[in-house]
Amino acid sequence: MKQIFTNFYGFDDVKITREEIFVEDGVIVEEFSRDEADEIIDCQNLALMPSFTDLHVHFRDPGFTYKEDLKTGSLAALKGGVTNVLLMGNTKPTVSSVEIYEDIIKRAVELDLIGIDQVYTITKNFDGKSLDHLETMPHSVKFISDDGHGVDDGEVMYKAMLKARELGVNMTLHEEVAGVSAIDYEVAEDAMTLRDCYYAYKLDMPVHFSHVSTKGAMTAIKYFKDLGAKITCEVTPHHLYFSEKARDEMKVNPPIRKEEDRLFLLEMIKEGYVDAIATDHAPHSKEEKEKGAPGFIGIETSFSTCHEVLVKSGLISLNQLIKIMSTKPSEILGIKKGKLDPGYLADFNLIDLDKSYIYKEEDIRSKSKNSLMIDKKLYGQIQKVYRKGILKYEHN
């Protein structure tokens, strides 16, 4: 299948172009004769950019599919322009066995909506101690994580990093000292982040830090990055959009932080120390949220939210936003996506950057409706999403 995408304003992490894009079998290629094209796609002067990769997502499947499942989560991702996700392992059962992992991957491939990678747990069933299950971990696993929990025991984490290095997998870490978080969650995040930055540096181990939310944690990451540590990090749209004034209304883990923290995260994005925007998309039922369950959905609105806070504000360029929503997270996940160059996947979003819209509950594709953005006016509406050159989403 040969396709030509034409009549657009193209953006990736470095360039702005009006040149046509030529695609063959889902991959961008060098120019070919227009007579060879099976399809010429008129993009109607919209912005065309690489679709996004979200490194931190909960689809609740298996075990909690009343909140979300692989299909509804994938449809929500497409609405948000996301064509690749990394799923966390706090399902029921947890993703600590070959059987559970392979079942998720098999069903994701059969759905053929988005690309889905699944983490394996660091410790078996999040017990904070056992690493034996890693010996039989499938070779296709790219990341291990105990997301929802920090690994409190320093010896266990040290051994886990050694094992991950031996197996050639990365780690994505939820940083929280459990005994401290009930007293001072800021210190709980800062202290474990500092420990694991040091471990990663000393062991020359690639480590990714999840949903960084404090000035202290981000300062540690900056320091060890400058030393040459192989560490990367993500921040969430809600930690960039909200701060302490709204904290009491928003139960999320890690919590909404002080304005000082929010502004520091913004500065670190501007200076290039943040590698990815990840949503921590966390579906819950209405009853669970009323009882205080932490987390919110956000994968459908992440671009609009970040476009407002980061680009419309003048903090960074659209190219820089694409870098941390597509190019760099795709690189971290090992996907050839995020640039409009030959050899990269033809995963594209067509976006009306000037279009404003009200995000309504009835328009949500997720099973859960626990969004922070309901009834807010947002900018930058995603009109179409292509994955490997195939149209997967179109705004009605």
Side-chain angles (χ1 to χ4, degrees):
M1 167 73 105
K2 290 187 175 183
Q3 301 165 297
I4 301 175
F5 288 77
T6 188
N7 190 25
F8 57 79
Y9 292 89
F11 300 84
D12 64 12
D13 63 321
V14 294
K15 67 186 176 189
I16 303 172
T17 181
R18 290 283 286 173
E19 294 182 0
E20 294 178 327
I21 295 176
F22 295 79
V23 174
E24 184 171 1
D25 296 331
V27 177
I28 302 172
V29 297
E30 300 288 354
E31 184 174 351
F32 49 75
S33 168
R34 298 181 74 82
D35 294 338
E36 297 178 56
D38 298 295
E39 184 180 21
I40 297 177
I41 298 167
D42 183 349
C43 299
Q44 300 177 318
N45 257 345
L46 295 169
L48 181 150
M49 63 189 70
S51 61
F52 311 128
T53 292
D54 194 329
L55 294 175
H56 199 111
V57 173
H58 302 267
F59 281 175
R60 309 300 193 197
D61 189 347
F64 304 103
T65 53
Y66 64 93
K67 305 185 192 193
E68 194 79 285
D69 57 44
L70 293 182
K71 182 177 181 179
T72 59
S74 297
L75 292 173
L78 288 170
K79 184 179 176 69
V82 175
T83 56
N84 287 89
V85 298
L86 180 63
L87 298 184
M88 296 300 107
N90 54 343
T91 52
K92 187 177 181 181
T94 56
V95 187
S96 298
S97 70
V98 174
E99 294 75 21
I100 297 299
Y101 172 85
E102 290 186 342
D103 173 66
I104 292 168
I105 296 302
K106 178 176 180 290
R107 290 187 290 117
V109 170
E110 289 172 350
L111 277 173
D112 193 28
L113 291 170
I114 63 173
I116 289 178
D117 280 281
Q118 173 67 58
V119 305
Y120 218 67
T121 63
I122 296 173
T123 63
K124 188 172 183 179
N125 299 321
F126 297 154
D127 68 4
K129 301 175 183 178
S130 307
L131 302 175
D132 292 347
H133 67 300
L134 297 178
E135 299 292 345
T136 57
M137 183 175 67
H139 294 301
S140 59
V141 173
K142 298 177 182 178
F143 277 86
I144 57 175
S145 177
D146 271 9
D147 183 63
H149 309 272
V151 179
D152 275 345
D153 190 309
E155 180 184 357
V156 172
M157 176 52 84
Y158 187 86
K159 289 179 177 178
M161 282 200 189
L162 289 174
K163 178 55 69 173
R165 189 176 67 180
E166 175 191 328
L167 295 172
V169 297
N170 205 331
M171 310 178 95
T172 177
L173 301 180
H174 175 116
E175 301 295 76
E176 174 190 356
V177 181
V180 177
S181 59
I183 306 166
D184 190 330
Y185 202 152
E186 181 179 349
V187 172
E189 180 175 342
D190 293 353
M192 190 173 283
T193 302
L194 184 59
R195 180 198 73 180
D196 291 339
C197 280
Y198 180 73
Y199 281 4
Y201 172 65
K202 293 298 286 186
L203 295 174
D204 196 30
M205 169 67 196
V207 169
H208 182 76
F209 290 90
S210 300
H211 45 54
V212 180
S213 67
T214 68
K215 182 177 180 179
M218 195 69 232
T219 299
I221 290 167
K222 177 181 184 296
Y223 177 81
F224 281 96
K225 273 179 171 266
D226 287 342
L227 285 181
K230 297 176 180 177
I231 57 178
T232 55
C233 69
E234 68 191 40
V235 298
T236 73
H238 51 271
H239 286 115
L240 300 177
Y241 196 93
F242 298 100
S243 61
E244 55 204 319
K245 294 178 182 177
R247 189 190 305 172
D248 292 342
E249 307 167 22
M250 301 176 182
K251 177 69 173 175
V252 64
N253 187 10
I256 301 298
R257 300 298 191 181
K258 300 188 295 292
E259 180 69 0
E260 176 187 7
D261 297 297
R262 187 184 79 88
L263 293 176
F264 191 75
L265 295 180
L266 293 175
E267 183 61 26
M268 290 299 96
I269 288 174
K270 183 177 180 180
E271 293 186 19
Y273 285 97
V274 173
D275 301 280
I277 299 290
T279 61
D280 197 6
H281 176 80
H284 291 295
S285 68
K286 182 179 179 180
E287 294 73 23
E288 287 168 330
K289 282 305 297 180
E290 289 173 350
K291 293 177 181 178
F296 296 92
I297 62 171
I299 203 166
E300 298 181 27
T301 56
S302 57
F303 173 77
S304 293
T305 304
C306 293
H307 184 246
E308 177 182 342
V309 174
L310 300 174
V311 179
K312 288 179 71 66
S313 69
L315 185 75
I316 62 173
S317 69
L318 181 58
N319 300 96
Q320 290 169 303
L321 180 59
I322 292 167
K323 181 177 182 179
I324 57 176
M325 290 195 73
S326 182
T327 316
K328 186 63 176 181
S330 297
E331 178 186 318
I332 291 169
L333 198 52
I335 305 165
K336 196 74 180 285
K337 190 180 93 172
K339 288 182 176 289
L340 302 180
D341 295 337
Y344 283 77
L345 289 175
D347 281 25
F348 304 138
N349 294 333
L350 295 180
I351 303 179
D352 187 339
L353 294 174
D354 298 320
K355 177 74 172 179
S356 65
Y357 64 101
I358 305 297
Y359 186 58
K360 294 289 188 182
E361 183 172 335
E362 57 266 28
D363 297 329
I364 294 175
R365 281 192 155 195
S366 170
K367 278 187 182 180
S368 296
K369 313 303 176 187
N370 56 315
S371 169
L372 294 169
M373 310 310 294
I374 289 174
D375 293 332
K376 290 189 179 296
K377 187 176 185 179
L378 302 174
Y379 294 86
Q381 191 170 59
I382 295 168
Q383 301 296 315
K384 292 183 179 181
V385 179
Y386 291 83
R387 178 174 177 243
K388 298 180 182 179
I390 299 171
L391 182 64
K392 293 291 187 177
Y393 168 81
E394 184 170 10
H395 174 68
N396 295 323

